[in-house]
Amino acid sequence: MSRPSAIVLHEFGTDLELRTFPQAVPEPGAVLADVTHAGVCGTDMHLQQGRLAIPLPIVLGHEAVGRVRALGAGVRTDATGAPLCVGDLVSWASNIPCGACTACGADGAPSLCETRRVYGINQGCAQPPHVSGGWSEQIYLQPGSTIVRVPDGVGPEEVIALGCAGPTVTHALRDVAQVREGDVVVVQGSGPVGMAAAMLAAVAGARRVVVVGGPANRLETARRIGVGDVHIDIGAETDPRGRLARVLAETADGRGADLVIEATGVPSAVAEGIDMARRGGTYLVVGQYTDHGETPINPHHITRKQLRVLGSWAFSPQNHVDYVLSVPALAARFDLPALLTAYPLERANDALADMRAGRTLKPVLVNGART
């Protein structure tokens, strides 16, 4: 059998390299999948730069879609109980919580499990099964993985379009804060997390969704596929006071938004977003996944508004299942593949560079794509 190729990070701050690994055979409870599409996430840029402690060498890629190549003994169904067969198109949760800690048990918050295994982030490739990241021709899905068969009528492009942003925002808007029918929602950020937040807020019943972000090409994509009702370009409206005035003008009597979702990853956006929320409203921080430093905040504005300030971290396996099952509804309303720019696996470094420069919104590594 052929040896699968994979993209490997050997040293922080350096280009990734293509190498091959021995063909894996799934143990009982495991699944081997041929990866068709693997997303490039902002977190991957941070991992390459050494902003999170991860084992090296490692096959990156924590969001992917593929087809079942082999089933380990005892695997007969997916996470929903549907039959699972060789050749099925599947998606899988990037993380496997321990199931035994306080977060997993008493708190009912598996996204906070501190020992969860995460594909492409804390699973190195020095030891078998080696291919534990999505930037590969194959991935070894360990026992305990949450694998869900992609619904009929949905292609891999629709599922990977929002990548991990889809289940991340599913967790944020179902488990942490909820969009109520008729809400005005402001989304700070127009990357994949911001796009997912705007889409899911609209589907949940928001009356108006205001997207504050950039660069301009991302906002143009959002307009073209119907994501958001109002789009404010931070590159054109550089004065924070001007941005605030434009946001408030889109709310009832200029009072502010019912819900503001931070999806920028920029600490300074937090103080600005607090100003955009109405009295008694909610400010939800989703985008600060890596530590970009401190930022000044005036807590008086939180108290004066009696504001709920909430944080949302990652997602649970069930959130991933819920997201995948919601993709048909999202695909019926939005042109999800329009978010994607495809690269062959061997051009992973180009995909990272283009994302870092803002030339693309959602790079995706496609096995079989031509250079």
Side-chain angles (χ1 to χ4, degrees):
M1 301 176 74
S2 61
R3 293 165 58 93
S5 297
I7 294 292
V8 177
L9 175 65
H10 287 279
E11 185 178 347
F12 295 128
T14 64
D15 282 350
L16 290 81
E17 301 175 8
L18 186 71
R19 60 169 292 189
T20 60
F21 290 97
Q23 179 71 55
V25 176
E27 64 186 298
V31 172
L32 186 66
D34 292 323
V35 177
T36 63
H37 297 70
V40 178
C41 173
T43 299
D44 294 313
M45 293 191 300
H46 303 150
L47 295 176
Q48 183 195 26
Q49 295 162 352
R51 299 188 70 92
L52 287 175
I54 59 173
L56 296 179
I58 189 171
V59 176
L60 293 179
H62 54 278
E63 43 181 58
V65 181
R67 292 195 177 275
V68 174
R69 181 182 184 92
L71 299 171
V75 180
R76 298 181 179 86
T77 62
D78 74 353
T80 72
L84 190 62
C85 304
V86 170
D88 282 346
L89 183 66
V90 293
S91 179
W92 49 90
S94 60
N95 62 88
I96 307 173
C98 74
C101 67
T102 300
C104 289
D107 291 348
S111 68
L112 298 179
C113 175
E114 294 185 358
T115 59
R116 60 189 185 138
R117 290 169 282 163
V118 187
Y119 292 115
I121 294 182
N122 64 13
Q123 304 294 290
C125 66
Q127 303 296 326
H130 304 297
V131 284
S132 292
W135 293 7
S136 176
E137 292 180 325
Q138 294 178 5
I139 186 169
Y140 188 95
L141 300 174
Q142 303 164 26
S145 297
T146 298
I147 303 169
V148 58
R149 191 169 173 269
V150 172
D152 293 339
V154 174
E157 295 86 359
E158 282 86 5
V159 178
I160 203 62
L162 295 177
C164 67
T168 295
V169 176
T170 296
H171 170 57
L173 295 185
R174 293 192 184 184
D175 301 340
V176 181
Q178 290 74 44
V179 176
R180 299 174 302 180
E181 190 79 25
D183 274 355
V184 174
V185 177
V186 171
V187 177
Q188 295 176 279
S190 53
V193 176
M195 291 285 191
M199 291 181 192
L200 290 171
V203 169
R207 176 173 62 84
R208 182 178 293 268
V209 177
V210 180
V211 180
V212 183
N217 62 328
R218 290 186 173 184
L219 293 177
E220 179 54 37
T221 298
R223 289 190 194 94
R224 179 162 49 85
I225 67 174
V227 178
D229 303 295
V230 179
H231 306 86
I232 300 173
D233 184 354
I234 62 173
E237 183 60 81
T238 58
D239 180 7
R241 292 171 298 180
R243 292 196 291 266
L244 176 61
R246 290 189 60 186
V247 167
L248 296 181
E250 299 296 335
T251 68
D253 300 323
R255 292 194 302 265
D258 300 292
L259 172 64
V260 180
I261 304 171
E262 182 280 319
T264 66
V266 178
S268 60
V270 174
E272 184 173 330
I274 287 173
D275 287 340
M276 295 174 178
R278 67 168 174 83
R279 291 168 67 95
T282 300
Y283 188 67
L284 176 61
V285 181
V286 182
Q288 305 292 323
Y289 187 76
T290 52
D291 187 350
H292 285 270
E294 299 178 356
T295 187
I297 293 175
N298 186 341
H300 169 67
H301 297 310
I302 298 172
T303 302
R304 178 177 60 86
K305 292 184 177 184
Q306 198 166 300
L307 193 66
R308 290 200 314 154
V309 179
L310 302 171
S312 182
W313 178 256
F315 58 90
S316 72
Q318 184 59 50
N319 296 138
H320 182 85
V321 173
D322 292 341
Y323 164 68
V324 173
L325 296 181
S326 76
V327 170
L330 291 171
R333 184 163 178 172
F334 305 105
D335 181 8
L336 296 177
L339 303 176
L340 302 178
T341 302
Y343 298 78
L345 184 65
E346 62 269 20
R347 287 189 56 205
N349 289 305
D350 293 336
L352 281 167
D354 288 347
M355 189 178 200
R356 188 175 293 112
R359 290 187 287 267
T360 61
L361 198 160
K362 186 61 182 179
V364 59
L365 304 179
V366 181
N367 282 313
R370 296 185 181 276
T371 305

